Amino acid sequence: MAQSTPTPHKHEFKAEVSALLKLVTNSLYTNREIFLRELISNASDALDKARFEGLTRHDMLGRDAPPEIRIEADAARGVLVLEDSGIGMTEEEATRNLGTIAHSGTLEFLRRLREQQDSGQKPDVNLIGQFGVGFYSAFMVADRIDVYSRSAHPEHAAVHWSSTGDGTFTTAPAERELRGTRIELTLKEEAREYLERVRLEHIIRRYSNYVMHPIKLAVRDDKGDLDGEERQINEASAFWARSPKDLSEDDYKSFYKHVMGGFVMPGDEPIAHLHFSADAPIQFHALLYVPGRPPADLFMEDRKSLQLFARRVMIMESCDKLLPLYLRFVRGVVDSEDLPLNVSREMLQEDRTLTAIRKQLTRKVLRLLADLAKDKPEEYTRLWRSFGAVLKEGIHTDTGHQDELVELLRYKTSTSGDDLVSLADYLAAMPEGQDAIYYLTGDNPDALARSPHLEACRGRGYQVLFMTDPIDEWVVQDLEKYKDKPLRSISQGELDLPEEDKDAEEATKEFAGTLERASELLKEQVKQVRVSRRLTESPSCLVDDEGDLSRNMERILKMANQQVPGRKRILEINAKHPFVQAVHRLSAEQPDDPRVATWIELLYDQAALAEGQIADHAGMVRRLQSVLSEVARRT
Ligand code: ADP
């Protein structure tokens, strides 16, 4: 080949590239460090292509060249060099590939930007951060880019591509023996930080730690002398892409630490992990963990979620589109071959690949939880105590998986003490004759355990589920039934417990006058006074009417500063209780005795007190004292 100095060919960038370049170079860009991720990814792709072609082409240049990416920071020249031994480019390829925009991510980016400009908005620089803009992102940090490349196909000469990002670039033949590409970035004055070892190592590890090919870094000082040895910075092996067979528990634990940002407190070790690869319809690897304890940001808007990688390159530090919200406690990484590197958050929302991944992940995680519940109930209990309230949201939001989710529910009950009971356990323990699942909602299990509403169920040996998470109010509304057994609140509506009905009906007739008197007297406080079918020990209790908001729901809505419609509850009295009978006798025999009113009010007081909410403390104390004095007088 004649080696007279050839005149470089001058080219103009395609129109869209010029537009992009202007933007990239002129925008104050906060996250410009991603240029390195983009260049490393290109180099890694080029290495993959070379390996692939090498399988079939035997005449490839540099067949034995070690596949690696070398980065050299030269402070003396102010140049950052990236070199790979990949497939390389011919002059024609360099002109085409580096002069036009091929990928859809960038085109989409430009389209949006133009939209913004057309509608008179100021271009949003953050938009750039949401898109990778590939090779051109290097103009954010470089005044000038020189690319020296030699194709692996030996018949082509090397090329020198050069541009200052001003609308044109040149290509010319170049001297280069080795196959692959060398990119020299002449850094802008304000981008000299990208010559510092610490900075470079940090960026490489952050985005490209798991790129399969070794990334080596050498740093030269102001005099051009090597500052330390050249060394490999990345792990160069994606932990999640390895076979679970080759990994130990300790390996998983240490990777968990990495996922959690490098620090795990003793006792916070993961409860379980899930590691698998899928091939169809979408290829991806997933390594997920259930943390040992709820992360502090579990209920926060900007909490951390799964890390998303595309071909070993991190594209999103926290992607909340990979799992439904009710599985937000799961942490880990997902890596797909099928995702574009240049992808925005908005695009991810509609991305079919992502939707398919999410579907599979959801199924797998639910199966993991079900297996855990079956095989390691203690671990599952731990998980439930930490994340049960979050998981329950799924009953409300993901009807498609309701059947699986129902089996995962656990509750304390009126007979379980501190233990948790599943709905299946509950059914299995139901005595003959019980035909509903009874529950009580409230804010704390100890208070529920003292509730008078439990009495009828207790007498019959029926268990009552204690539902103490706000979300439970939604769970019972959505669920209605479990295996044909209706869910019934024991503090709402009539409790139809068959044998009791006759007694209650008779008592209602017998007590009619007293009930009427009480209803009239308490009409400000309650909408009705009736004979109870649920009390066996306490004289009275308050219940919510069928179809009304439960008291617990009212409390929750008030906590959330919601308007709560005013409504009255129902006072139930226990016709078998001696005090209630005394009230009845007195009201029938001496209707004008002032004690009748006092005692009726006391029945209301004690029902309210049993729930811990007394409006008229002073009045109650007065009424109580009068009864105490009377008891004293009689004894
Ligand atoms: P993308 O990588 O998304 O296609 P880029 O602008 O980053 O977009 O790169 C454009 C094209 O230039 C690449 O698709 C590839 O064909 C070529 N290219 C870039 N860097 C290299 C490299 N180091 N070795 C070989 N080809 C490269």
Side-chain angles (χ1 to χ4, degrees):
M1 204 164 68
Q3 278 300 315
S4 60
T5 326
T7 333
H9 296 287
K10 192 165 173 186
H11 309 261
E12 292 200 356
F13 282 114
K14 290 263 164 154
E16 75 269 27
V17 180
S18 298
L20 178 63
L21 279 175
K22 228 189 249 145
L23 247 144
V24 163
T25 39
N26 295 338
S27 306
L28 255 179
Y29 184 31
T30 49
N31 196 25
R32 54 185 191 171
E33 66 184 28
I34 59 122
F35 81 92
L36 197 56
R37 171 189 90 172
E38 302 291 324
L39 296 186
I40 289 173
S41 296
N42 283 347
S44 173
D45 287 349
L47 287 165
D48 288 343
K49 283 182 201 155
R51 187 185 52 190
F52 185 72
E53 286 209 14
L55 297 175
T56 50
R57 277 189 76 135
H58 295 284
D59 62 341
M60 250 179 46
L61 198 62
R63 283 187 58 80
D64 304 324
E68 59 185 25
I69 300 163
R70 299 182 53 244
I71 298 177
E72 191 175 303
D74 187 341
R77 291 168 56 218
V79 170
L80 184 67
V81 183
L82 260 107
E83 186 157 18
D84 65 68
S85 49
I87 192 77
M89 283 176 277
T90 65
E91 180 166 350
E92 195 260 323
E93 284 167 340
T95 306
R96 180 158 33 91
N97 295 340
L98 305 181
T100 46
I101 294 174
H103 54 250
S104 58
T106 311
L107 288 175
E108 170 69 12
F109 166 69
L110 280 171
R111 190 184 61 73
R112 292 269 219 95
L113 211 74
R114 221 163 280 141
E115 265 174 24
Q116 283 191 341
Q117 276 169 332
D118 288 350
S119 64
Q121 285 171 287
K122 241 175 71 188
D124 175 6
V125 284
N126 286 324
L127 210 53
I128 305 178
Q130 297 169 2
F131 292 82
V133 284
F135 175 78
Y136 307 102
S137 60
F139 279 112
M140 291 188 294
V141 298
D143 282 330
R144 172 190 161 137
I145 302 179
D146 289 285
V147 179
Y148 303 88
S149 193
R150 170 109 198 236
S151 166
H153 305 154
E155 64 275 20
H156 295 288
V159 60
H160 172 198
W161 180 102
S162 179
S163 175
T164 50
D166 57 356
T168 62
F169 63 90
T170 60
T171 58
E175 288 292 328
R176 185 178 162 90
E177 299 281 305
L178 302 170
R179 80 157 194 238
T181 303
R182 176 183 173 90
I183 299 177
E184 294 197 2
L185 307 179
T186 306
L187 293 178
K188 296 181 181 195
E189 201 44 48
E190 72 274 13
R192 287 186 65 92
E193 62 191 290
Y194 300 109
L195 294 170
E196 293 162 19
R197 176 184 295 283
V198 180
R199 189 86 176 86
L200 289 168
E201 288 191 4
H202 176 79
I203 304 172
I204 295 168
R205 284 207 193 93
R206 174 154 190 207
Y207 298 100
S208 313
N209 201 24
Y210 304 106
V211 167
M212 285 242 273
H213 307 287
I215 303 170
K216 296 181 172 171
L217 176 67
V219 177
R220 291 183 187 277
D221 62 19
D222 288 341
K223 295 188 203 71
D225 295 330
L226 264 185
D227 168 17
E229 302 241 305
E230 176 183 81
R231 67 167 192 266
Q232 182 175 332
I233 306 303
N234 64 332
E235 294 239 3
S237 117
F239 187 84
W240 55 84
R242 290 163 64 188
S243 162
K245 284 201 304 288
D246 303 334
L247 296 165
S248 69
E249 271 312 304
D250 278 346
D251 289 334
Y252 282 114
K253 275 197 190 135
S254 67
F255 190 70
Y256 177 69
K257 203 155 136 191
H258 174 82
V259 166
M260 299 306 274
F263 191 68
V264 175
M265 298 264 280
D268 284 4
E269 286 84 12
I271 293 177
H273 70 252
L274 176 65
H275 183 191
F276 71 98
S277 303
D279 284 318
I282 304 293
Q283 192 291 330
F284 70 92
H285 303 285
L287 175 47
L288 309 182
Y289 293 91
V290 178
R293 237 179 273 184
D297 61 4
L298 191 58
F299 287 94
M300 291 180 194
E301 214 37 62
D302 59 348
R303 71 189 157 267
K304 279 251 161 54
S305 39
L306 302 183
Q307 294 178 1
L308 180 61
F309 286 71
R311 275 162 283 136
R312 320 281 147 85
V313 178
M314 190 172 79
I315 56 172
M316 222 183 257
E317 206 144 24
S318 175
C319 178
D320 60 6
K321 296 285 170 285
L322 288 164
L323 281 173
L325 209 54
Y326 66 88
L327 295 177
R328 62 178 172 274
F329 53 89
V330 175
R331 301 285 290 272
V333 297
V334 172
D335 183 4
S336 175
E337 301 279 332
D338 296 332
L339 279 171
L341 196 57
N342 304 298
V343 73
S344 73
R345 273 170 204 283
E346 287 82 358
M347 284 165 71
L348 276 179
Q349 301 231 344
E350 298 144 25
D351 193 277
R352 296 251 281 288
T353 312
L354 213 69
T355 313
I357 295 177
R358 174 182 162 120
K359 218 163 127 193
Q360 286 206 51
L361 287 181
T362 306
R363 240 192 12 239
K364 288 271 195 183
V365 172
L366 288 179
R367 195 171 316 147
L368 171 80
L369 299 184
D371 288 346
L372 212 60
K374 187 157 85 47
D375 303 330
K376 296 182 177 165
E378 274 173 30
E379 296 288 270
Y380 184 73
T381 302
R382 218 177 111 210
L383 182 154
W384 182 261
R385 289 189 204 279
S386 293
F387 307 115
V390 175
L391 258 177
K392 283 177 193 169
E393 292 171 14
I395 299 269
H396 185 59
T397 56
D398 187 1
T399 38
H401 288 106
Q402 208 179 68
D403 290 348
E404 289 109 301
L405 284 164
V406 166
E407 300 298 340
L408 295 173
L409 294 174
R410 296 292 181 273
Y411 289 103
K412 282 190 186 171
T413 77
S414 51
T415 56
S416 76
D418 269 341
D419 291 344
L420 295 172
V421 170
S422 69
L423 293 185
D425 296 338
Y426 183 100
L427 284 202
M430 268 173 36
E432 194 79 29
Q434 181 180 351
D435 48 17
I437 296 170
Y438 295 103
Y439 67 85
L440 189 56
T441 59
D443 59 350
N444 115 44
D446 292 336
L448 293 186
R450 289 192 301 267
S451 165
H453 301 101
L454 290 172
E455 291 169 9
C457 284
R458 193 183 297 134
R460 290 175 165 73
Y462 295 0
Q463 236 180 131
V464 176
L465 301 172
F466 288 167
M467 301 193 158
T468 48
D469 285 319
I471 186 76
D472 284 322
E473 290 283 352
W474 283 266
V475 170
V476 291
Q477 278 175 31
D478 287 309
L479 220 48
E480 285 179 6
K481 271 184 185 162
Y482 172 71
K483 306 228 154 126
D484 287 344
K485 299 281 184 237
L487 269 77
R488 305 264 301 131
S489 163
I490 60 160
S491 65
Q492 193 151 24
E494 286 279 16
L495 255 204
D496 22 55
L497 297 167
E499 317 95 84
E500 206 61 18
D501 275 4
K502 250 199 279 107
D503 288 358
E505 264 163 44
E506 274 163 27
T508 303
K509 273 188 220 137
E510 189 195 331
F511 278 59
T514 310
L515 290 173
E516 205 176 304
R517 180 92 192 260
S519 292
E520 177 56 28
L521 201 76
L522 296 172
K523 67 173 187 285
E524 294 298 314
Q525 291 96 320
V526 299
K527 65 158 89 156
Q528 190 195 350
V529 181
R530 70 183 178 208
V531 171
S532 180
R533 291 174 156 90
R534 69 194 92 213
L535 296 177
T536 58
E537 293 149 37
S538 307
S540 58
C541 70
L542 284 164
V543 302
D544 301 300
D545 202 359
E546 199 84 59
D548 268 357
L549 273 188
S550 71
R551 189 175 88 84
N552 186 49
M553 190 65 151
E554 180 185 285
R555 181 184 61 83
I556 294 164
L557 292 177
K558 278 190 181 148
M559 260 170 14
N561 286 327
Q562 301 256 354
Q563 284 280 329
V564 182
R567 91 271 183 271
K568 289 178 189 160
R569 303 172 73 204
I570 294 169
L571 179 70
E572 289 194 352
I573 56 171
N574 175 3
K576 297 195 177 115
H577 193 280
F579 184 69
V580 174
Q581 290 174 347
V583 177
H584 176 52
R585 258 195 322 273
L586 188 66
S587 125
E589 290 161 12
Q590 305 174 53
D592 297 330
D593 191 313
R595 286 176 301 174
V596 176
T598 306
W599 292 3
I600 287 175
E601 280 178 52
L602 258 180
L603 283 174
Y604 174 77
D605 287 337
Q606 89 83 36
L609 184 62
E611 294 187 346
Q613 51 156 20
I614 281 282
D616 177 18
H617 286 97
M620 168 168 187
V621 171
R622 226 183 318 108
R623 290 185 279 277
L624 199 56
Q625 281 167 353
S626 77
V627 173
L628 294 178
S629 311
E630 173 150 358
V631 173
R633 266 201 307 279
R634 289 195 191 175
T635 38

